[in-house]
Amino acid sequence: MIRNAQPFPYAILPRAGAVLALCAVLSACAVGPDYQRPALDVGADYKEGQVEVPGWKQAQPRDEADRGQWWRVYDDATLNELVDRLNTSNQTIAQAEANYRQALGLVRGARAGFFPTVGAGAGLTRSGSGGGSGSSSSTSGGSGGSNVSNQYSLTGNVSWELDVWGRVRRSVESSEASAAASQADLAATRLSAQASLVQAYLQLRVLDEQKRLLDATVAAYEKSLQLTQNRYNVGVVGQSDVAVARTQVESTRAQSIDLDWQRGQYEHAIAVLMGQAPSHFTLPPAAFNVQLPQIPVGLPSELLERRPDVAAAERRAAAANAQIGVAQAAWFPSLTLSADGGFRNGQFADLLTAPARFWSLGPALAMTLFDGGARQAQVEQARASFDAQAAAYRQAALVGLREVEDYLIQLRVMENEQTVQRRALEAARESLRLIQNQYKAGLVDYLSVAVVDATALNNERSALSLYGNRLVASVNLIVALGGGWDGLPGTQGAAAQAAPAAAPGTAPATAPAPTAAPAPAAQP
């Protein structure tokens, strides 16, 4: 109701206060189910773990805990510098960080629903009605002419929809859970980029070591070729031995050249991960002394606490659950309090005077009575969305557990494989030593030496490749465990176990040295 030129009715304030108090009591409730994390039995220990870890507890997401600089377990200064540059320059991480800031903006937008909307306006309206036979340019008040009038206004208004049924609160709850999921996505993106760089770097260093092995072998084979050529010149050996020695040199040189494009691709990948063009980045060869780290495994429930992708799936389930309440709130009436006031007058000079004042105040109750089933469809859609997100959470947790089991057994089998490979390498070296002695004694031709030498070289390369695969598998296990483990309990006590590492005497602590190439001396 509008009352011109009347003072504000302060007598209605007690009644308005009572209405607000009643609304506050009603707003204490929120429709829709309260969120309960979907149940999931993760087991008490890992199947492929070498040590059983007793005890089970419900996982609580702790992906925000500081994991530390997990890549430093490989104790490589160059790698540490590269990852530090990645953390500040990687474009995929920058994109995820922008998505997280966008999610925070949505949270602030949802919280704005708790507060009233305040507006102001000023206007000028000029209107008129048709007249008689008088001049069309006559002003208001002239007889027989058009009736033209001006209306000046200066207004303010306040509108506040009370959150009686918890629609706004559920919206905020949903947006906050979505923002938390976006934060977990950022952590997962950062972890994935770090792991990709660490793996590319380790593979590149393994290729450098293979390149060093092949180049040293080519140099030794060239000496053998020269000695074989000299022996042919004096008639000690046939031309076939020279051909075999030359074939050995060139085929090994070709293997060394083949590594160049593989190394180049790893170098390019590292450059892009750090956010720069491959043409601007070069990583020179360096000594290879990376060792397998000790990785705490802990309880399966701790895995779910620290893995950001599992945490993101769980928080999306929470966001979907809150949307059920938002959909159900549409069934209930909305209560809006509004107030308007200001000045309105036909004469601008009298606009800000007491007679020009007006105001209105009152609640409004609105409710949809029939919508053809649209609200029920939205509730069913929200429930189905929650069921889907709950299933996605359970699947993400199961996939996380499977990945840990996969890399645990991979590391364990590779450790056993490298033990056998080490014995094969030692046997190949001994076989090469014996065949070289037989060649020097004139008992075998150079082709026999070349065959055994190729076997020894293949075993050297296989040992290097296997060790590199173990390093990559250790990175995969760290990622499957959610990254680092700093700040989490139980990593130093009985609840932690170490991932298989290279044991002295069973696998090389550093890269194996190249096999000594045959250098037969001229026979008397």
Side-chain angles (χ1 to χ4, degrees):
M1 182 174 59
I2 300 175
R3 301 178 181 176
N4 288 317
Q6 295 293 328
F8 187 83
Y10 295 99
I12 71 170
L13 287 179
R15 285 176 290 174
V19 173
L20 291 176
L22 177 60
C23 294
V25 172
L26 291 176
S27 64
C29 63
V31 297
D34 292 331
Y35 176 67
Q36 297 291 333
R37 184 173 295 107
L40 177 65
D41 184 5
V42 299
D45 52 56
Y46 294 103
K47 174 184 176 182
E48 304 299 339
Q50 295 180 340
V51 179
E52 290 191 1
V53 184
W56 184 91
K57 67 185 183 68
Q58 178 68 30
Q60 301 291 332
R62 295 192 57 187
D63 56 294
E64 74 282 355
D66 184 14
R67 298 175 178 81
Q69 298 176 325
W70 60 267
W71 55 90
R72 292 187 177 271
V73 299
Y74 296 98
D75 195 23
D76 189 291
T78 303
L79 176 61
N80 298 339
E81 179 183 356
L82 294 176
V83 178
D84 289 341
R85 291 167 61 183
L86 173 140
N87 290 334
T88 58
S89 303
N90 182 269
Q91 297 305 304
T92 305
I93 295 176
Q95 179 184 4
E97 190 272 337
N99 291 336
Y100 174 54
R101 287 188 284 108
Q102 181 182 13
L104 291 179
L106 294 176
V107 173
R108 290 190 291 269
R111 288 176 179 169
F114 287 124
F115 304 97
T117 301
V118 180
L124 166 62
T125 302
R126 183 174 177 83
S127 59
S129 59
S133 59
S135 173
S136 61
S137 61
S138 337
T139 61
S140 177
S143 60
S146 62
N147 186 9
V148 179
S149 63
N150 297 327
Q151 183 73 22
Y152 301 93
S153 63
L154 183 63
T155 62
N157 59 83
V158 178
S159 178
W160 184 22
E161 181 179 351
L162 299 179
D163 189 28
V164 179
W165 312 111
R167 181 187 62 83
V168 176
R169 275 169 292 159
R170 293 300 191 190
S171 297
V172 171
E173 179 183 336
S174 177
S175 60
E176 287 178 342
S178 297
S182 181
Q183 184 181 24
D185 288 339
L186 172 59
T189 300
R190 182 179 291 110
L191 178 60
S192 176
Q194 292 169 350
S196 296
L197 187 145
V198 173
Q199 289 178 338
Y201 178 82
L202 294 176
Q203 292 284 57
L204 182 144
R205 289 308 183 203
V206 170
L207 289 179
D208 283 346
E209 194 62 19
Q210 290 197 14
K211 179 79 171 178
R212 184 191 66 80
L213 170 65
L214 290 173
D215 289 345
T217 303
V218 167
Y221 285 172
E222 288 177 339
K223 293 180 181 179
S224 297
L225 173 61
Q226 184 62 45
L227 290 173
T228 304
Q229 182 69 46
N230 294 338
R231 298 183 71 182
Y232 169 75
N233 292 337
V234 297
V236 176
V237 298
Q239 188 175 3
S240 61
D241 282 4
V242 177
V244 171
R246 181 173 289 108
T247 301
Q248 188 181 50
V249 170
E250 297 303 331
S251 63
T252 307
R253 181 178 287 117
Q255 294 178 46
S256 177
I257 295 173
D258 185 68
L259 296 180
D260 292 340
W261 69 266
Q262 300 179 48
R263 188 188 192 279
Q265 288 187 345
Y266 283 122
E267 194 175 64
H268 302 161
I270 293 173
V272 172
L273 285 168
M274 294 190 304
Q276 62 182 100
S279 59
H280 299 161
F281 176 76
T282 301
L283 190 62
F288 182 72
N289 55 3
V290 177
Q291 298 189 19
L292 285 167
Q294 298 291 319
I295 303 173
V297 177
L299 297 174
S301 58
E302 290 179 346
L303 162 70
L304 305 186
E305 293 178 351
R306 69 170 70 99
R307 274 189 64 129
D309 58 334
V310 176
E314 187 271 332
R315 286 161 186 167
R316 288 191 171 92
N321 180 81
Q323 286 297 321
I324 298 176
V326 174
Q328 289 181 343
W331 284 96
F332 300 91
S334 61
L335 177 61
T336 304
L337 299 180
S338 59
D340 296 276
F343 299 89
R344 184 165 50 222
N345 200 288
Q347 300 295 327
F348 182 77
D350 298 330
L351 178 63
L352 299 179
T353 60
R357 290 186 303 176
F358 73 93
W359 61 266
S360 66
L361 174 67
L365 197 63
M367 181 178 181
T368 301
L369 299 179
F370 178 76
D371 59 5
R375 288 171 294 177
Q376 181 61 32
Q378 291 175 354
V379 172
E380 293 174 357
Q381 178 184 356
R383 292 189 181 278
S385 177
F386 170 74
D387 292 340
Q389 292 298 335
Y393 162 66
R394 294 189 182 98
Q395 182 65 21
L398 292 174
V399 169
L401 295 172
R402 187 213 70 197
E403 290 177 352
V404 174
E405 300 283 9
D406 287 348
Y407 298 128
L408 281 175
I409 192 173
Q410 183 179 8
L411 282 170
R412 191 177 68 194
V413 171
M414 283 184 173
E415 182 185 26
N416 297 333
E417 183 182 357
Q418 195 160 28
T419 300
V420 177
Q421 178 65 38
R422 184 69 172 179
R423 293 199 298 264
L425 180 58
E426 292 172 354
R429 289 171 177 173
E430 178 64 16
S431 177
L432 179 60
R433 186 185 65 82
L434 294 175
I435 200 70
Q436 284 177 339
N437 291 337
Q438 293 176 7
Y439 179 75
K440 293 176 183 179
L443 301 178
V444 296
D445 58 6
Y446 193 78
L447 179 60
S448 300
V449 176
V451 171
V452 176
D453 207 352
T455 301
L457 178 59
N458 288 335
N459 277 276
E460 293 280 2
R461 294 192 66 183
S462 296
L464 274 173
S465 297
L466 182 56
Y467 192 73
N469 291 338
R470 290 185 68 192
L471 289 171
V472 171
S474 70
V475 176
N476 288 331
L477 179 57
I478 292 175
V479 174
L481 292 170
W485 41 84
D486 290 358
L488 291 178
T491 55
Q492 302 297 330
Q497 68 184 78
T506 60
T510 58
T515 304
Q523 295 185 6

